[in-house]
Structures are given as structure tokens and as C-alpha cells.
Amino acid sequence: MNKFLKEFKDRGFFYQCTNEEELSSLMDKEKIKAYIGFDCTAESLHVGSLLQIMCLRLLQKNGHRPIVLLGGGTTRIGDPSGKDKTRKILNEEEIEKNIKNIKNILKKFLDNDNPETKPIFVNNYTWLKNLNYISFLRDIGKHFTINRMLTFDSVKLRLDREQSLSYMEFNYMILQAYDFLELSKKENCVLQIGGSDQWGNIVNGVELIKRYSNKQSYGLTTPLITLATGAKMGKSENGAIWLDEKFLSAYDYWQFWRNTDDRDVVKFLKNFTDIEIEDIKKVENNNINDLKILLANKTTSMLHGNEAAKNSEQAAKEAFSGNSLGSSLPSVKVNSQNIDNKLDIIDLIILSKLEKSKSEIRRLIKGNAVKINDKVVSDEKLIIENEFFNENYLKLSIGKKRHIKIELD
């Protein structure tokens, strides 16, 4: 088996492939270009996109060149795959802002220096914006049958649930297939990689390229990654695990990985780090907490750098050792005028962004889960006093895993 595909399988990336033997043979003979598409519906990607990013890194590791398609055109429509309802339509300014930010995030993960493997960034709006509707129907639409399109999960599930599916969304799979055709023509791209929910769209692209230009291309999909608890990857009790530090600090990102369920740790070392498979096998029976720290450090280093990972590990040690003013803990500034205005514990927690819901905060206080400077807060009406601050800092904690420094400004 081809080296890339072998590691792809060993790391748990493999779900389906359109013609595995032929693709394996091709990748043995030559270096190829392969693409993965990313929606631009938000300003940041989250951990749910990380498996696809790891696929891009694996392509580079094996000397192949990844193409990153940023869906500036298709984002204007919205992919119905796995969705219960039509997505909110963004304006052009929002989409362009999202594209710019997502591109910067992806550059952090990828090698941008090697000319042989540096990523090619493309925006499908460049070719979709000028499509002539009549010509498109005549040249491309004729290769698709409604009968077949109705069988794909992205359409079938919505219709089976009697949920509305707009004609605009129904066209998404044709446009994605057209993207693959354009990249085949412009960049000699021969492989599309995507999540398992993209299988129908990817197969459409492979077939369109064959019918339109008689070229052979391939599709490869990854499984849906779920946590041992059954929850979807990328979410936590406090919302999405964003890859942009503007929305989630390096410390909180580190803590997300550090708090991985014991049952998921080895799998995630394979999925989300570059540690060689043989090296993971050597340590997989080590102390589980040591493995969790290894996972947290490797994943955080990849996104935020080695120093951020070290600082996060140190901050966690300080938080658990009871060092209430740990220098590495993430901090939030609070205006001293707020203290003068009788700021209470609930509003302080909301300002800290550790929790958003007042009712949830009250529940946590009743459960003795809230602490100031490692002392339990039992009064939900507690007023924050200047005396709580030591050298202008106090430590606010929720449970055993969430800690933050409140700095008096």
C-alpha cells in the first residue's frame, strides 16, 4: 500500500475511497495535488475541522501538494449536508472577512516554505461568480439526474424529515462537483478529500470530471469523529472549541485536550498530532494523565506555538497547586469602577466569560462549584470587594478545570 494511504489508515483517517488500488498506485509513481474545501460561514474554524487540516499536513509530509479551497462562492449558498435547516446567508463583506481569517489559521498548521508542497489557496468565487446560468445548465447540468441527486444523504435526510430544502441548497452538490472539475483543469488536481458526509458530493465530482474531460480522479473521505461520550467533536459544555485565539485562549485550548476522556486519548494522539504511530504504540500504556498532557502540548504547539503550550501547562499546574496568582493563568481585566458600583459574583463570572447563563451560574454556586482565591462561594449575591484582590489580582474558578485571573484595571 502507498505510504500516504497506509498512514492515512493507521491514524484512523480512512472511511471510503473511490478507487483505492488505482489511487495507491498513482501516489507511488508521482506527487499529486489534492484538495479539501472549507466553508467560510464563520470567522474561525473549530476543532471539528482539525481532522481535515491533519490530512493536509499528511499530504505535505509525503511530498504531495495540498490545495485549500475556501468556499467564497458556495458559502453564499450553504452546504445542506448534515444540516436540519437553511443556513443564514452572509453578506459579501462578512464572507471576505471570514476567508481572510480562516486562511491565516490554516497557514499556522501548514508548511508554507517548501515550494514543492506549499499549499495553494483558491477561492471558488473566482470561477462561480461569472457563471452563465444557461451555459452552466447545458454544459454541466446535463450530467446530473434528479433521480440520483434525491438519493444522496444531504438531500434525502432533509426530505425524509419533511424539512424544507431550498432549490438554492439543492444546487450545492452540482457546484461542488464543478469546483473539482475546475481544479482538475486549472491545477491538475486529481484527489478530493472530505468528511464522510461529503461522499455523495465528491463522487459527483469524480463522475463529472470523467464525463466532461475523460480524466480519472479520486475521492477519499474521513470518518465522523465523535467523543467516547457520543458527543460531536468540536463542541464542549461552553460552546465551540475555536482555532482562533481571539475566540478561545491558548490556555483554554490546552485545557480542552488535557480534559480528553481517558478512552479517547490514544485515538486522539493518532488523529491530531504528528507523533509517529510507532512512537505512540511505545507510550500508549503510560500513565493516562501523562498522555493527556502530551496530547495537550502537541496540539497546542501546532496551533499556538511551543511557548504557549509550555505556559498553558505551567498555568494548569499553578491553578491546581492553589497558587492563586499564577503568572501563567489567562487573565481578564475588570474596571475598578465596576467594583465601586457593587459588582456581584454572577456579573463577575459573566465578565470573565467562564459562563454566559445566569441561571447556570446560580446552579454552580449552589453546587459549591464556584471559588474565589480557592475559597468556595456560597452566596449568589456576593459583592466583589477590593479586599479580594491581592496585588490587583484574584483567582476565579469554576469546578476543578476552569480557572482565570481577574485583574483590576
Side-chain angles (χ1 to χ4, degrees):
M1 187 190 300
N2 169 263
K3 187 181 174 186
F4 167 81
L5 286 174
K6 183 179 186 310
E7 187 167 353
F8 198 88
K9 288 188 173 184
D10 288 345
R11 289 194 177 275
F13 293 173
F14 188 90
Y15 190 72
Q16 285 173 297
C17 186
T18 54
N19 192 331
E20 187 183 340
E21 285 187 17
E22 204 172 286
L23 176 61
S24 180
S25 176
L26 175 67
M27 294 182 86
D28 274 336
K29 293 175 188 172
E30 60 185 80
K31 301 304 181 186
I32 69 164
K33 291 178 183 174
Y35 99 90
I36 296 178
F38 293 88
D39 263 339
C40 302
T41 50
E43 196 174 338
S44 171
L45 299 174
H46 60 64
V47 166
S49 297
L50 194 53
L51 194 71
Q52 305 306 316
I53 295 172
M54 297 305 295
C55 292
L56 295 173
R57 287 172 67 93
L58 189 59
L59 282 165
Q60 289 189 315
K61 176 183 175 181
N62 286 275
H64 304 289
R65 192 166 188 188
I67 298 172
V68 177
L69 184 143
L70 299 168
T74 39
T75 296
R76 286 163 166 80
I77 292 173
D79 182 2
S81 302
K83 302 295 180 294
D84 292 333
K85 57 186 178 181
T86 302
R87 278 179 170 164
K88 175 191 169 189
I89 302 299
L90 304 179
N91 62 43
E92 295 200 7
E93 188 177 303
E94 288 174 308
I95 292 172
E96 289 306 313
K97 181 182 178 183
N98 293 351
I99 287 173
K100 184 178 178 181
N101 209 46
I102 289 170
K103 185 176 179 180
N104 288 335
I105 290 168
L106 290 167
K107 281 185 172 181
K108 291 183 179 181
F109 286 98
L110 302 174
D111 176 4
N112 301 283
D113 297 324
N114 185 341
E116 300 295 321
T117 62
K118 67 183 295 186
I120 300 168
F121 287 93
V122 296
N123 180 348
N124 62 8
Y125 190 54
T126 58
W127 57 77
L128 294 179
K129 66 181 177 181
N130 294 321
L131 280 182
N132 178 286
Y133 190 57
I134 298 297
S135 299
F136 184 73
L137 288 178
R138 185 188 64 218
D139 298 336
I140 304 300
K142 68 182 180 182
H143 296 295
F144 295 81
T145 67
I146 296 294
N147 314 58
R148 181 96 188 280
M149 290 168 76
L150 288 172
T151 66
F152 288 116
D153 284 346
S154 58
V155 172
K156 191 171 182 293
L157 291 175
R158 286 271 282 273
L159 297 181
D160 286 348
R161 294 172 185 159
E162 297 184 358
Q163 294 163 334
S164 65
L165 178 75
S166 69
Y167 180 69
M168 175 182 72
E169 291 174 287
F170 188 60
N171 276 269
Y172 185 94
M173 67 176 74
I174 301 179
L175 293 179
Q176 185 171 319
Y178 185 69
D179 285 344
F180 198 176
L181 175 61
E182 282 295 300
L183 291 174
S184 172
K185 292 191 292 185
K186 295 178 188 298
E187 299 288 351
N188 194 31
C189 177
V190 298
L191 172 65
Q192 182 182 357
I193 302 173
S196 56
D197 61 340
Q198 296 295 315
W199 178 249
N201 295 340
I202 291 172
V203 169
N204 273 337
V206 170
E207 293 178 351
L208 177 62
I209 291 167
K210 185 70 175 174
R211 291 180 187 137
Y212 190 90
S213 57
N214 204 32
K215 281 186 178 180
Q216 185 61 55
S217 57
Y218 307 90
L220 184 60
T221 60
T222 59
L224 175 67
I225 301 295
T226 54
L227 308 179
T229 58
K232 192 175 180 182
M233 185 68 180
K235 301 288 184 181
S236 77
E237 59 188 20
N238 298 311
I241 304 302
W242 298 108
L243 301 183
D244 188 330
E245 196 166 8
K246 185 164 53 176
F247 304 115
L248 188 78
S249 71
Y251 175 78
D252 287 331
Y253 188 73
W254 189 94
Q255 281 287 357
F256 168 76
W257 295 105
R258 171 63 182 83
N259 295 330
T260 296
D261 189 294
D262 291 3
R263 296 166 290 177
D264 287 327
V265 176
V266 172
K267 180 174 80 168
F268 286 179
L269 283 169
K270 293 176 182 177
N271 289 164
F272 302 117
T273 79
D274 290 326
I275 302 172
E276 296 295 338
I277 295 296
E278 289 306 311
D279 292 332
I280 293 173
K281 287 178 181 176
K282 290 175 185 175
V283 301
E284 62 184 357
N285 293 318
N286 286 8
N287 178 280
I288 193 68
N289 287 317
D290 291 341
L291 291 180
K292 288 182 181 184
I293 290 171
L294 175 65
L295 174 64
N297 283 338
K298 290 293 185 181
T299 50
T300 304
S301 294
M302 202 181 298
L303 175 59
H304 296 292
N306 291 330
E307 189 174 347
K310 287 177 185 175
N311 288 343
S312 297
E313 182 181 1
Q314 182 60 30
K317 285 178 180 176
E318 291 173 349
F320 281 98
S321 68
N323 180 352
S324 62
L325 300 182
S327 59
S328 303
L329 278 177
S331 63
V332 170
K333 290 187 177 182
V334 171
N335 195 306
S336 58
Q337 192 174 346
N338 286 332
I339 306 301
D340 296 338
N341 291 336
K342 308 295 183 186
L343 179 73
D344 66 27
I345 182 62
I346 291 177
D347 287 334
L348 179 68
I349 293 172
I350 289 172
L351 279 172
S352 76
K353 297 184 179 177
L354 287 179
E355 274 294 344
K356 298 176 184 176
S357 163
K358 289 189 175 184
S359 60
E360 175 62 13
I361 293 170
R362 290 188 183 97
R363 187 189 70 77
L364 289 165
I365 291 171
K366 285 178 183 175
N368 294 328
V370 176
K371 293 180 182 179
I372 287 180
N373 297 334
D374 299 316
K375 293 180 181 178
V376 172
V377 173
S378 55
D379 181 5
E380 66 180 50
K381 295 180 181 178
L382 177 71
I383 301 299
I384 306 304
E385 306 280 358
N386 281 303
E387 64 192 48
F388 294 169
F389 291 83
N390 181 1
E391 296 181 358
N392 277 356
Y393 292 98
L394 69 74
K395 176 179 158 190
L396 176 65
S397 306
I398 294 183
K400 295 180 180 179
K401 298 173 182 177
R402 287 187 281 165
H403 311 272
I404 198 165
K405 271 194 308 188
I406 306 296
E407 180 181 354
L408 206 54
D409 190 8

